[in-house]
Amino acid sequence: QVQVAESGGGLVQAGGSLRLSCAASGRTFSTNGMGWFRQAPGKEREFVGGISWNGGWIYYADFVKGRFTISRDYAKHAVYLQMNSLKPEDTAVYYCAAHRTGAGTTTTPTYAYWGQGTQVTVSS
């Protein structure tokens, strides 16, 4: 079992930055792929970015490429999402999730453990 909890969300102006953190507990964190997802009101949850267990695979959704960066700190059992050049359309609840395996994929059903979400709101 792996437990995850997100933090770092908030209200920012367009063009600003936020750094989201995902604290993990339980076993095998260092061997789980990790992903970030988001869900806006009235919309389905969508993939934002992911990283494999060893960091060899990192992938971003097209709408965040060049603006967001995902990383992980194995010693601190943490995963981060650095968000720069934020846009109003980035407004959503952001979720951290641990993959069922060490892989880092873009598909929601492949992730087994989810945090409660943290709200990110970007105003014009």
Side-chain angles (χ1 to χ4, degrees), residues 35-98:
W36 284 96
F37 298 79
R38 70 186 188 186
Q39 186 169 22
K43 297 185 179 296
E44 296 183 357
R45 188 172 298 183
E46 61 184 351
F47 172 81
V48 175
I51 184 170
S52 63
W53 72 272
N54 63 356
W57 180 91
I58 301 176
Y59 190 79
Y60 302 95
D62 288 341
F63 51 81
V64 302
K65 287 182 178 178
R67 300 189 298 123
F68 291 10
T69 302
I70 187 171
S71 61
R72 66 191 302 171
D73 186 330
Y74 295 95
K76 296 182 177 180
H77 291 193
V79 181
Y80 306 100
L81 183 68
Q82 178 66 48
M83 305 185 295
N84 299 322
S85 301
L86 284 163
K87 305 174 181 179
E89 52 263 43
D90 293 320
T91 296
V93 176
Y94 283 71
Y95 298 88
C96 177

Side-chain angles (χ1 to χ4, degrees), residues 37 47 57 97 99-100 104-112 114:
F37 298 79
F47 172 81
W57 180 91
H99 199 270
R100 299 180 187 275
T105 64
T106 64
T107 307
T108 301
T110 63
Y111 290 82
W114 295 81

